[in-house]
Amino acid sequence: MKDQLKKLEQEALGEVRSAADRDSLETVRTKYLGRKGLLTEIFKKIGEVPVAERPEIGNLINQVKNNVAAALDEKLRSSAGAERKVEKIDITLPGVSFKHGSTHPITRTIEDISEAFLSLGFRVVEGPEIETEHYNFEALNIPLEHPSRDAFDTFYLHSPAGSHLLRSHTSPVQARFMEKNSPPFAIIVPGRVFRPDATDATHSFMFHQIEGLVVGERITFADLKGVLAIFARQLFGEDTQMRFRPSFFPFTEPSAEVDISCFICKGEKAKAQGQKRCSVCGGRGWLEILGAGMVNPKVFKNVGYDPEKVTGFAFGMGVERIAMLKYGINDIRLFFENDVRFLHQF
Ligand code: 2NL
């Protein structure tokens, strides 16, 4: 009986050691200590033991029971501790970061420009990218012999409905707006435009334009200058100077090209002798940012306005050009490649 008990104890302790989890430990407990367990069964046979040996055997059975129970409890405590450790959160670990997007620099520039004009009471108007020759050219006083009407200078679409094309500027949207609305109004029109230029660092067959149009009674060139000055100062800084150079557009008369003082060198390096030339303005001190003028009376006639009653001014700028100047970008193609290493810088 003694040997049998010793053997049973060794087996039980061995099973406790190799038990991998709580469930298998409980199985071991039931197998040896349960109501029908092996040790309990042995205890029931104590009657077969000679009376003189009973106390010793009884003690031994209790000892074995206690040893096995202690081993089970000990193992249960340490494995429960281990399980709790797995669940513990280490708050010193770096957090799980995620990639967030950013506004495209062209969208951001359109928003910045729009904000300046919205604060002056302008409305934003948009229109179709596919246009008719009428709205893209005729309504805007662009004659048939104008070079931009050449099939190689505009994207024409083959359509049974007549001559459709990708708009080469956003002006057709203003022409459509004028037909449907009466002065006075002030609108800006942002959007994509298309010209089949060969692609290089400063040319793209698709780019973005923002045009503006103000029409009413007694709108003057002074209004044009005032509005553009406020816009230029808001976008490029309060100390920005502006200058107008005479120019020509078929849809405005008179017309002008508008420069702002270089916001990097303020024109100073152009004057200073022997210094490295400013990389943004090339030492000229001025940057061309837009074209503008008083709306040609022929355009008003084309949309049904009386040029004796209303006057207006209009302007147009290339968004990519403004963004390149503002952010020091030297290649227009970067805007359209959408490399996240470029986009994440804005
Ligand atoms: C430029 C110059 C300009 C306009 C656009 C316009 C539109 C209508 C009537 C009269 Cl409906 N004018 N637009 C006027 C002057 C200049 O754009 O360099 N754009 C990038």
Side-chain angles (χ1 to χ4, degrees), residues 142-264:
I142 300 172
L144 206 55
E145 62 277 8
H146 195 278
S148 71
R149 294 189 64 155
D150 193 289
F152 299 106
D153 272 334
T154 305
F155 287 114
Y156 280 87
L157 306 171
H158 295 290
S159 67
S163 228
H164 284 82
L165 46 84
L166 297 181
R167 67 183 181 192
S168 56
H169 42 198
T170 54
S171 319
V173 182
Q174 286 111 289
R176 288 174 180 277
F177 182 89
M178 285 191 279
E179 283 185 346
K180 291 209 172 74
N181 297 271
S182 299
F185 60 78
I187 59 170
I188 51 166
V189 182
R192 289 190 190 91
V193 300
F194 307 84
R195 298 179 188 177
D197 288 330
T199 304
D200 64 23
T202 54
H203 295 84
S204 168
F205 57 84
M206 186 283 294
F207 59 97
H208 297 75
Q209 227 189 3
I210 291 190
E211 284 190 66
L213 177 67
V214 175
V215 182
E217 287 174 26
R218 292 182 295 281
I219 298 288
T220 69
F221 204 94
D223 297 317
L224 168 63
K225 288 185 83 169
V227 164
L228 290 183
I230 290 168
F231 156 72
R233 286 189 208 122
Q234 183 159 333
L235 206 68
F236 294 101
E238 276 308 312
D239 55 349
T240 304
Q241 304 288 304
M242 207 176 50
R243 76 176 183 188
F244 283 64
R245 287 176 288 109
S247 186
F248 173 81
F249 301 110
F251 30 75
T252 48
E253 181 60 35
S255 304
E257 255 147 56
V258 180
D259 300 342
I260 55 160
S261 53
C262 179
F263 53 89
I264 297 295

Side-chain angles (χ1 to χ4, degrees), residues 88-124:
K88 222 161 126 188
I89 295 166
D90 181 354
I91 59 161
T92 66
L93 281 172
V96 182
S97 63
F98 55 91
K99 284 190 175 143
H100 55 86
S102 55
T103 306
H104 193 283
I106 291 303
T107 308
R108 181 159 162 205
T109 306
I110 291 173
E111 285 171 359
D112 289 348
I113 295 169
S114 302
E115 206 173 288
F117 289 107
L118 289 174
S119 72
L120 291 168
F122 281 70
R123 279 175 56 193
V124 177

